[in-house]
Amino acid sequence: MNFDKLFEPGQIGSLQLKNRFVMGAMGVGFAELGGTPTARTKAYYEARAKGGYGLIITEVTRVQDSEFCTPFEPSLGDDKHIAAWKEVTDAIHQQGACVFPQLHQPGRQYTKTILGHEVSAPSPLACPIFDEVPHELTTEEVWDNIHMFGDAALRAKKAGFDGVEIHAGHGYLVQQFLSQFTNRRFDEFGGSLENRARFACEICKDVKRKCGDDYPVIIKLSGEEKVPGGMTISDTKIFAKYFEEAGYDAIEVTICTYASLDWMSAPEDEPMGFNANNAKAIRESVHIPVIAINRINTPEIAEDILETGKADFVSISRQSLADPEFPNKTKEGRISEISPCINCLQSCMGYMTDPNHLQACCLVNPRVGHEAEYTFDPVDHPKNVVVVGSGPAGLYTAYVASKKGHQVKVIEAQEKLGGQFRIAALPPAKSLLANPLRFWIQEGKKQGVEYMTNTTATKELIADLHPDAVVLATGAKQSKPPIEGIDGEHVFMANDVIEGKVRVGHNVLIVGGGLVGLECADFLRERAGRHSTIIDQIPTINYGVLGVGTHLKARLDSNDTAYILGATIKKFTKDGVVYEQDHKEKEATGFDSIIIAMGSKSYNPLEAEIKDLCPEVYVIGDASQAGQANKATEEAAAVAFHL
């Protein structure tokens, strides 16, 4: 397939871009707490510029230091940040890319607990997520905010940015003025479509006054909000006309608000490029370029969006985390070598919304945020490396170690590579999980990795291989606690059910309300009308991160999945269980089959036996502590890049 459209030069205002690839803005949180960019910021964006993007748009960037949506959000709210930003823009320019900051005010979409002061908004309507009634901006304060955007844009110009993007999507302050969902004002900034567009339009005019008419300004607009009473594409087509008249040079068409956040990075049950039709609708209403975004994860989808006239540029976001070299590999025809985004959201959106992290990474590419530290530079002294286990931790270790020049052998007890991650790819809307397994194995084979399947790793076998380093990535095994009746012939393990090794009845009791249990219920939902009841001692169900979890819950609800929570299993019976709930003994009966999804326990049988066989022995992933796959690849990276 040819990708000619993607590599045509493009124009945004006065700015000539070398291709149609835009790296979309995503929060990564690599700045200092005060908002000054760091060496990590520079290395992260420099890697993507080197990867071939024509335009890079940075993560949301404050226009005043005291307003942000994460504590590590960078800032252009003060002149003190200009010098550090200049280092970032210089590094990007040296790689042949252009760069805009994404200027932003959170409005009501944050919390006084972190900001230290009241949140502000067009109207005193609380964000459904944070549930804090905001201060209603006075008309004078609205104009103050407009000028803050213009002042930040001027700092951006001084820092070497080629233009700016104004964030009017995802429910932040500019969008709050646009939408009747959030704007109930009576002054010149409320009511009619023209009035609600005024805030965004005046921002553009202020930027142009301060930076020059030829300084490019993009607006990122939610084509629809996906909330009752919120903006629809009919509204945003009109807003787009006002924006063009105000002087905006391009429109990036996104989707959602915080009240519909599952659409921002929709999971696999939404098609790739699902929001491109909104971009097309807006493109038909204006004469300035339109940029499409949302689940554009393959060159084929990107090229088709351009070829069919849906947009003039494509914005690649999560995929740019998974593979900074996405444009270059596309141009060189190395499509199979693109490291795939799997829309898991564990380390990007998941980390950015977790107060214990607030800095992004990537399950498939844990180099994110470590670009300067984790390099593929060849080692001076190659080692003989043995990896035991072929789940994500083992395969990623083998991929990195072999690419750096080590000789690598992978020992896997099963017939197939992939560990439990291979099984995790089998439930609905999870097929993308198989892609990194394919990628790591493919790239490992190119570098000479030897994969020894159907082979049990023993002390004797490892000794015969004479390793300089052994990496134990033996994973975890499903838990099967010693409860009376658990070995009954009608009781099955979840992985065996998902792999198709056993057949279950139509009325199923699943013991365990974690993701394995939930996804097992989703898997059975598709098969001849099976119905599941989930029982667990936990008080509430956690369906997983953001869009992935909300879409999973919706699918389970569509099948009337039932739940028995706060329940401790006492005994398995011939058609159910005896359990304790609220200090009372109860019974659940009438089930054809029972499925055990009671978590996993680390499996590490070799560490003590082989610790004296070679100088370096590492235990990573579930073999160290059972958990999510992103933790496994992060631990693999920490070992593999420093072997």
Side-chain angles (χ1 to χ4, degrees):
M1 181 173 176
N2 293 321
F3 300 100
D4 296 337
K5 284 285 185 183
L6 283 167
F7 294 98
E8 287 181 357
Q11 192 87 13
I12 293 180
S14 61
L15 186 65
Q16 178 84 11
L17 300 176
K18 65 182 179 182
N19 59 38
R20 302 305 175 108
F21 283 99
V22 176
M23 177 191 159
M26 289 168 294
V28 290
F30 298 149
E32 295 175 357
L33 276 173
T36 301
T38 64
R40 289 181 77 193
T41 309
K42 175 183 172 182
Y44 167 73
Y45 287 114
E46 184 178 24
R48 275 100 195 135
K50 187 176 181 181
Y53 286 92
L55 173 63
I56 287 175
I57 302 177
T58 70
E59 63 188 300
V60 286
T61 302
R62 317 178 203 188
V63 301
Q64 61 179 130
D65 283 353
S66 60
E67 296 283 338
F68 47 85
C69 63
T70 71
F72 295 102
E73 179 181 323
S75 179
L76 278 163
D78 191 281
D79 289 353
K80 66 185 179 183
H81 306 298
I82 292 175
W85 272 121
K86 187 66 166 61
E87 292 186 25
V88 176
T89 61
D90 283 349
I92 291 169
H93 290 146
Q94 286 169 12
Q95 299 298 336
C98 297
V99 57
F100 290 11
Q102 185 182 75
L103 301 181
H104 149 271
Q105 283 274 58
R108 70 177 192 167
Q109 289 188 167
Y110 208 44
T111 173
K112 181 180 180 181
T113 304
I114 305 297
L115 291 176
H117 59 78
E118 215 174 12
V119 296
S120 300
S123 300
L125 297 169
C127 170
I129 302 300
F130 293 105
D131 197 25
E132 293 182 17
V133 177
H135 160 69
E136 183 176 15
L137 291 165
T138 66
T139 303
E140 183 180 358
E141 288 171 332
V142 174
W143 283 103
D144 287 342
N145 271 273
I146 289 167
H147 298 318
M148 286 179 199
F149 277 92
D151 292 343
L154 181 58
R155 294 186 192 102
K157 186 175 182 180
K158 292 177 180 178
F161 285 98
D162 302 287
V164 297
E165 178 174 77
I166 306 303
H167 200 340
H170 302 166
Y172 295 122
L173 183 64
V174 183
Q175 182 172 329
Q176 289 163 32
F177 274 93
L178 293 172
S179 176
Q180 288 180 309
F181 183 61
T182 43
N183 185 345
R184 311 292 167 82
R185 299 179 69 89
F186 306 115
D187 62 4
E188 65 265 38
F189 294 100
S192 67
L193 287 164
E194 180 185 18
N195 279 0
R196 284 184 278 130
R198 193 179 309 280
F199 184 66
C201 291
E202 291 298 331
I203 287 173
C204 182
K205 293 174 184 177
D206 198 62
V207 172
K208 296 281 187 177
R209 276 193 297 269
K210 290 169 178 172
C211 298
D213 287 338
D214 62 343
Y215 195 62
V217 186
I218 293 174
I219 188 165
K220 186 170 187 174
L221 172 69
S222 282
E224 51 183 330
E225 289 188 305
K226 295 286 188 182
V227 292
M231 292 192 304
T232 67
I233 193 63
S234 299
D235 302 315
T236 51
K237 286 174 68 174
I238 304 302
F239 285 139
K241 293 177 184 290
Y242 280 115
F243 298 155
E244 182 177 19
E245 290 177 3
Y248 281 102
D249 297 290
I251 301 172
E252 184 178 17
V253 184
T254 185
I255 197 169
C256 88
T257 175
Y258 269 25
S260 54
L261 201 56
D262 52 313
W263 287 94
M264 186 189 295
S265 297
E268 189 182 339
D269 58 0
E270 292 297 327
M272 283 201 231
F274 69 90
N275 195 37
N277 285 330
N278 281 336
K280 181 181 180 182
I282 287 180
R283 189 172 187 257
E284 291 169 350
S285 300
V286 296
H287 303 93
I288 54 177
V290 170
I291 306 167
I293 193 171
N294 294 110
R295 284 212 68 210
I296 305 174
N297 289 352
T298 72
E300 294 89 347
I301 293 293
E303 178 74 9
D304 182 72
I305 288 170
L306 299 179
E307 201 171 57
T308 56
K310 293 185 176 71
D312 302 282
F313 295 85
V314 286
S315 187
I316 312 298
S317 47
R318 307 290 153 198
Q319 180 58 51
S320 71
L321 293 176
D323 196 333
E325 295 281 330
F326 183 76
N328 284 348
K329 289 180 179 178
T330 300
K331 187 174 186 178
E332 295 162 10
R334 297 186 290 132
I335 309 304
S336 68
E337 295 180 22
I338 293 172
S339 179
C341 172
I342 59 175
N343 279 90
C344 68
L345 307 183
Q346 286 185 9
S347 299
C348 49
M349 296 284 284
Y351 276 3
M352 292 303 294
T353 55
D354 182 348
N356 295 316
H357 286 280
L358 299 176
Q359 295 179 321
C361 196
C362 176
L363 185 158
V364 176
N365 177 27
R367 291 187 65 226
V368 170
H370 302 276
E371 284 82 4
E373 175 190 358
Y374 293 166
T375 75
F376 286 106
D377 296 340
V379 294
D380 294 329
H381 304 288
K383 297 175 182 177
N384 183 17
V385 179
V386 172
V387 178
V388 184
S390 70
L395 290 179
Y396 189 77
T397 298
Y399 157 65
V400 171
S402 63
K403 192 167 182 177
K404 288 180 69 66
H406 298 295
Q407 299 298 312
V408 183
K409 291 182 175 64
V410 175
I411 304 173
E412 170 56 54
Q414 301 298 316
E415 178 186 0
K416 296 179 180 179
L417 299 170
Q420 294 196 64
F421 211 61
R422 173 181 58 81
I423 302 169
L426 298 175
K430 298 294 291 294
S431 70
L432 292 178
L433 269 61
N435 290 348
L437 300 178
R438 176 206 58 79
F439 172 78
W440 294 326
I441 294 166
Q442 166 193 285
E443 296 304 300
K445 286 180 177 178
K446 288 179 183 178
Q447 303 297 330
V449 175
E450 181 182 347
Y451 297 96
M452 305 165 62
T453 56
N454 281 323
T455 303
T456 300
T458 62
K459 178 180 179 180
E460 293 73 23
L461 173 59
I462 294 173
D464 288 343
L465 297 174
H466 305 292
D468 300 304
V470 177
V471 180
L472 298 175
T474 43
K477 291 192 177 292
Q478 297 173 91
S479 295
K480 191 176 182 181
I483 301 173
E484 181 182 345
I486 200 169
D487 292 319
E489 62 181 14
H490 61 303
V491 180
F492 308 102
M493 302 305 291
N495 283 358
D496 291 338
V497 174
I498 293 172
E499 279 198 273
K501 292 181 177 180
V502 296
R503 185 176 178 84
V504 299
H506 282 75
N507 189 23
V508 177
L509 179 67
I510 298 175
V511 182
L515 283 179
V516 173
L518 297 172
E519 289 171 359
C520 189
D522 196 23
F523 178 81
L524 294 173
R525 173 188 58 82
E526 290 191 331
R527 280 149 185 83
R530 286 178 170 84
H531 179 266
S532 298
T533 297
I534 296 173
I535 186 169
D536 201 312
Q537 61 185 4
I538 58 177
T540 57
I541 293 291
N542 180 356
Y543 293 90
V545 63
L546 297 170
V548 174
T550 51
H551 285 230
L552 171 60
K553 181 181 185 301
R555 293 195 301 272
L556 293 177
D557 288 350
S558 73
N559 199 40
D560 296 324
T561 303
Y563 302 89
I564 303 171
L565 301 179
T568 301
I569 305 294
K570 311 301 289 186
K571 181 175 68 173
F572 290 87
T573 65
K574 64 180 181 178
D575 65 345
V577 293
V578 175
Y579 64 95
E580 184 178 300
Q581 186 185 58
D582 299 326
H583 306 292
K584 297 178 182 177
E585 190 170 279
K586 302 179 181 180
E587 192 170 2
T589 61
F591 298 99
D592 306 316
S593 305
I594 299 174
I595 299 172
I596 305 299
M598 301 178 76
S600 299
K601 290 184 178 180
S602 295
Y603 180 66
N604 179 21
L606 287 171
E607 183 182 10
E609 289 188 34
I610 68 166
K611 62 182 180 181
D612 297 324
L613 281 183
C614 66
E616 300 176 62
V617 176
Y618 305 94
V619 182
I620 62 172
D622 282 359
S624 173
Q625 182 177 347
Q628 291 186 321
N630 60 336
K631 298 295 186 184
T633 55
E634 287 169 28
E635 291 178 17
V639 169
F641 281 105
H642 294 113
L643 280 172

